[in-house]
Amino acid sequence: MKPAPNSRRERVRAMLADLKMPGALEAVDDILASADSGAATASEAIEQLLTAQVELRNNRRLQSAMRSSRLPAVKTLADFDFAFQPSIKREQIESLHELGFLERAENVILLGPPGVGKSHLAISLAIAAAESGRRVYYGTLAALIESLVAAKTAGNLARRLKVLTHPSLLVVDEIGYLPVSQEGAILFFQVINARHERVSTVLTSNKGFEEWGGVLGDEVMAAALIDRLLHHCHIVNIRGNSYRMRAHQDLLRLTRHDEDSVQAGAR
């Protein structure tokens, strides 16, 4: 039988271990030292201890979500450059990241030309949802449809539909970048119809709604799809310059500057 811890620090560490709070356990020595020296009050020390545990839990949730959700990268709201996209209502985006739309099973559609940050914001919503403990799933429209067609061919369509209809948040990226077959459009409609008013979907598109009939190859199908998506929906229209083009232009200016410096040195 283990001897009982004989100091407050040891007793706190033992209790944190018993409660399975590894984040707090890792931080407790520094936090208690700060409290003992008077640099932190008792309430501040408790807050710091709980914060350490919450941060570890959120990091673990995010790592798990990255593995299961197919998210291509970690992109957060804190990383988004609102100054470069003044057309975006920051208050709307920040409100969406509070995730009330998930509680109400509402959708979010981000529209705008390529490179303006639609995917970044969609992924940041998925990250926020994952950190809150929700199950999320990400895919481009082309990849999702390809997986549905393959599942149908293999006789596993019901299982695949379950994968796509059950997550609290599904992100469908890049609608309009590649054409969709009629079979693919029908399968995608089944996914959206099954999720309608049950769970939330975030979609991005470089096409206006009037062009979705051309994307899906069926005006009637597109109208029915849009009707369900817009029933309870937040629309974010982004009108601005491309982040990728800005990066290319910055690189081009830097290259030209280096070339001019070399030429000046040669003279």
Side-chain angles (χ1 to χ4, degrees):
M1 183 175 178
K2 282 186 177 181
N6 54 16
S7 74
R8 177 174 287 110
R9 186 182 301 270
E10 290 173 345
R11 289 197 299 272
V12 170
R13 290 182 61 85
M15 285 186 283
L16 291 175
D18 189 49
L19 290 170
K20 295 181 173 57
M21 298 177 66
L25 184 59
E26 184 177 346
V28 68
D29 287 340
D30 289 341
I31 292 172
L32 289 180
S34 180
D36 290 342
S37 68
T41 65
S43 60
E44 288 171 341
I46 292 171
E47 181 182 17
Q48 291 169 12
L49 204 61
L50 294 176
T51 297
Q53 180 60 32
V54 169
E55 287 179 349
L56 177 65
R57 182 201 63 188
N58 288 347
N59 286 336
R60 287 181 170 178
R61 281 178 174 174
L62 182 54
Q63 291 169 7
S64 176
M66 291 295 293
R67 290 192 296 270
S68 64
S69 66
R70 312 271 180 111
L71 284 167
V74 175
K75 296 185 178 183
T76 66
L77 183 60
D79 300 327
F80 191 78
D81 186 359
F82 282 97
F84 191 68
Q85 298 297 7
S87 69
I88 295 179
K89 296 178 181 178
R90 184 168 189 156
E91 297 80 8
Q92 179 189 22
I93 301 302
E94 290 177 342
S95 177
L96 288 172
H97 280 76
E98 293 173 4
L99 306 179
F101 77 96
L102 288 179
E103 302 290 344
R104 299 183 295 270
E106 297 168 346
N107 303 316
V108 178
I109 301 179
L110 299 114
L111 302 173
V116 295
K118 302 185 300 298
S119 295
H120 184 134
L121 291 175
I123 292 171
S124 70
L125 284 170
I127 294 291
E131 287 179 338
S132 73
R134 270 91 163 192
R135 185 181 171 193
V136 303
Y137 196 92
Y138 168 94
T140 64
L141 177 62
L144 291 177
I145 287 178
E146 182 181 359
S147 72
L148 286 165
V149 172
K152 182 180 179 182
T153 302
N156 297 322
L157 181 58
R159 184 184 304 170
R160 184 59 183 165
L161 285 171
K162 184 176 180 180
V163 169
L164 298 178
T165 56
H166 279 211
S168 297
L169 180 62
L170 171 68
V171 176
V172 183
D173 206 2
E174 299 182 357
I175 295 175
Y177 286 79
L178 294 172
V180 174
S181 67
Q182 184 179 29
E183 180 185 26
I186 293 171
L187 292 170
F188 180 55
F189 177 81
Q190 289 183 46
V191 173
I192 297 302
N193 191 51
R195 295 180 62 83
H196 179 52
E197 295 191 312
R198 290 182 54 254
V199 280
S200 298
T201 306
V202 172
L203 306 96
T204 77
S205 180
N206 65 337
K207 305 289 187 185
F209 294 126
E210 71 279 1
E211 299 177 85
W212 282 30
V215 173
L216 299 175
D218 188 319
E219 295 290 345
V220 175
M221 178 78 67
L225 180 72
I226 292 169
D227 177 67
R228 283 160 176 75
L229 290 172
L230 296 187
H231 188 203
H232 303 289
C233 187
H234 303 266
I235 299 175
V236 180
N237 277 298
I238 307 177
R239 299 177 300 278
N241 297 317
S242 166
Y243 287 101
R244 289 188 286 272
M245 286 301 296
R246 180 180 68 172
H248 294 329
Q249 290 167 358
D250 290 344
L251 180 60
L252 183 60
R253 281 194 294 271
L254 181 62
T255 302
R256 287 175 176 171
H257 178 268
D258 291 342
E259 290 176 348
D260 290 343
S261 298
V262 170
Q263 291 173 2
R267 289 197 295 269

